[in-house]
Amino acid sequence: MSTLTTNYLTPTGREEAWRFTPLKRLGGLHDGTAVIADRKSLSLKGAAADGVSFERISRELAAPLTESDDAVVGRIRENAADVAVLTIKANTEVAAPIFLNRSSGATDSAELSRVQIRIENHAKATVIIENSGDTHLAEDLEISVAPGANLTLVSLQEWDGKTIHAGRHHAIVDRDATFKSIVVTVGGSLVRLLPTVDFIAPGASCELLGVYFATSGQFFEHRMFVDHKVPNAKSRVNYKGALAGDGAHTVWIGDVFIRAAAEGTDTYELNRNLLLSDGARADSVPNLEIETGEIVGAGHASTTGRFDDEQLFYLMSRGINAADARRLVVRGFFNEIVSEIGVEETQERLMDRIDGELAKAGS
């Protein structure tokens, strides 16, 4: 099987793709100085449903699905010995979510993780990746969504405070296929994720949703890219973030590229940030590049601001103390996206984690 080339340069911080990232905090994941351990922390939780398989195969049998010039991805592909592959067979509809679990590893060395999720023709499934504990992780996750398939992928970063996590989540969406991504980041020291989508045939659609909550000293970066290069595809991006505490820093970059051949495109991207205290910083950069005027619609928006004092006053005037009022406002802010996960136990666990982070921040 042929291997796609990966051409990359070690970032210096002057590149557009890296200008916000504090490279000194990446633990060497970007420049090859990290100590690499042969850890395989990702596993299937429970028994595989009918039509579902999870296996590890050698790198020679699982060539990358796409090229990448990302330095972290390049180092993973050079050094990772095997690939974790989750396959949902054609015409299979999996009723219950498929859980993949990654628990704590170590912070004195790094894990290089290559993962492929392949959902075949006209299959339907929800996959939830649960990340927890403390580790240093470089992740190359590729998702192949075959014609007519429907995949919801939920990635939960419920890390402890020392984790460094740099990953690319790249989806290839085929004809009349539907892909939904939900990314939740509520822990870690530094988390840098690249959720990207490549439409390869007409009729495809994607929805990229996400929430993040950063407290003192945490750095979270989410950098989206949706490549509309075929006609009649639809994309929606909606990310929400909250920040509390001195030195909390989040970065959201939303890039949508509508190529000349992508007539009939329908796209919109939105990012909203809620600042809960002084000393927090939210960078938000929506970008939209259009090469054809023959589209259904295209737009973007970004807002960053503090609590709505009227909301707080309304709640406090009904006997709710200030701390509980703030908690309720934050829950309401995130609920629109968290509720899309569709698993009540998971949703409540995430909301409880957000409550705890908010309490620790003293907001």
Side-chain angles (χ1 to χ4, degrees), residues 47-53 87-89 92-94:
D50 291 341
V52 177
S53 66
T87 304
I88 299 99
K89 297 295 185 183
T92 299
E93 183 167 345
V94 185

Side-chain angles (χ1 to χ4, degrees), residues 241-244 271-278 280-284 302-309 311 326 329-330 333:
L243 301 86
N271 177 229
R272 296 177 61 197
N273 295 290
L274 190 59
L275 299 176
L276 307 178
S277 66
D278 294 331
R281 171 182 169 183
D283 289 296
S284 179
S302 169
T303 62
T304 299
R306 293 187 174 274
F307 268 123
D308 186 332
D309 290 336
Q311 287 182 312
R326 287 176 180 270
V329 171
V330 171
F333 179 67

Side-chain angles (χ1 to χ4, degrees), residues 21 25 69 86 108 117 126 182 206 218 242 249 258 263 339:
T21 310
R25 293 179 58 181
D69 61 1
L86 176 70
D108 59 351
I117 297 175
T126 295
I182 305 172
C206 80
Q218 291 180 318
H249 186 187
I258 304 174
E263 296 182 355
S339 63

Side-chain angles (χ1 to χ4, degrees), residues 115-232:
V115 182
Q116 292 183 354
I117 297 175
R118 306 170 181 173
I119 181 165
E120 298 180 351
N121 292 21
H122 302 287
K124 182 177 182 180
T126 295
V127 177
I128 300 179
I129 302 175
E130 299 177 317
N131 295 313
S132 61
D134 267 325
T135 192
H136 288 186
L137 174 67
E139 178 187 30
D140 176 21
L141 170 59
E142 296 181 295
I143 307 108
S144 173
V145 189
N150 186 320
L151 176 67
T152 296
L153 175 66
V154 182
S155 175
L156 306 178
Q157 283 59 243
E158 300 174 83
W159 298 117
D160 292 338
K162 298 179 181 179
T163 289
I164 299 171
H165 178 191
R168 176 181 183 245
H169 298 176
H170 184 71
I172 303 161
V173 187
D174 211 324
R175 183 179 300 274
D176 298 326
T178 301
F179 174 65
K180 178 190 285 189
S181 163
I182 305 172
V183 173
V184 179
T185 303
V186 291
S189 173
L190 181 149
V191 177
R192 182 181 191 268
L193 296 178
L194 285 63
T196 56
V197 173
D198 184 8
F199 290 118
I200 62 172
S205 67
C206 80
E207 195 172 6
L208 303 182
L209 308 175
V211 299
Y212 46 87
F213 189 104
T215 57
S216 296
Q218 291 180 318
F219 176 86
F220 297 157
E221 179 173 357
H222 299 84
R223 183 177 286 265
M224 258 59 46
F225 177 63
V226 181
D227 193 352
H228 281 272
K229 60 186 181 184
V230 297
N232 303 316

Side-chain angles (χ1 to χ4, degrees), residues 8-166:
Y8 65 89
L9 297 174
T10 298
T12 64
R14 292 187 293 272
E15 303 85 357
E16 170 58 31
W18 293 94
R19 67 186 179 99
F20 288 104
T21 310
L23 297 179
K24 292 181 179 180
R25 293 179 58 181
L26 268 175
L29 296 180
H30 65 299
D31 62 8
T33 60
V35 176
I36 305 303
D38 185 22
R39 289 199 297 273
K40 299 175 175 62
S41 62
L42 189 69
S43 61
L44 180 67
K45 193 174 180 179
D50 291 341
V52 177
S53 66
F54 180 79
E55 58 185 338
R56 290 190 175 274
I57 60 180
S58 67
R59 58 188 294 172
E60 291 78 17
L61 298 177
L65 304 177
T66 57
E67 294 188 353
S68 173
D69 61 1
D70 181 78
V72 174
V73 172
R75 298 190 188 282
I76 296 169
R77 294 180 178 181
E78 285 178 349
N79 296 285
D82 61 13
V83 184
V85 179
L86 176 70
T87 304
I88 299 99
K89 297 295 185 183
N91 302 307
T92 299
E93 183 167 345
V94 185
I98 302 165
F99 284 90
L100 300 178
N101 179 265
R102 181 186 279 118
S103 56
S104 60
T107 56
D108 59 351
S109 59
E111 177 184 359
L112 303 182
S113 174
R114 274 192 64 201
V115 182
Q116 292 183 354
I117 297 175
R118 306 170 181 173
I119 181 165
E120 298 180 351
N121 292 21
H122 302 287
K124 182 177 182 180
T126 295
V127 177
I128 300 179
I129 302 175
E130 299 177 317
N131 295 313
S132 61
D134 267 325
T135 192
H136 288 186
L137 174 67
E139 178 187 30
D140 176 21
L141 170 59
E142 296 181 295
I143 307 108
S144 173
V145 189
N150 186 320
L151 176 67
T152 296
L153 175 66
V154 182
S155 175
L156 306 178
Q157 283 59 243
E158 300 174 83
W159 298 117
D160 292 338
K162 298 179 181 179
T163 289
I164 299 171
H165 178 191

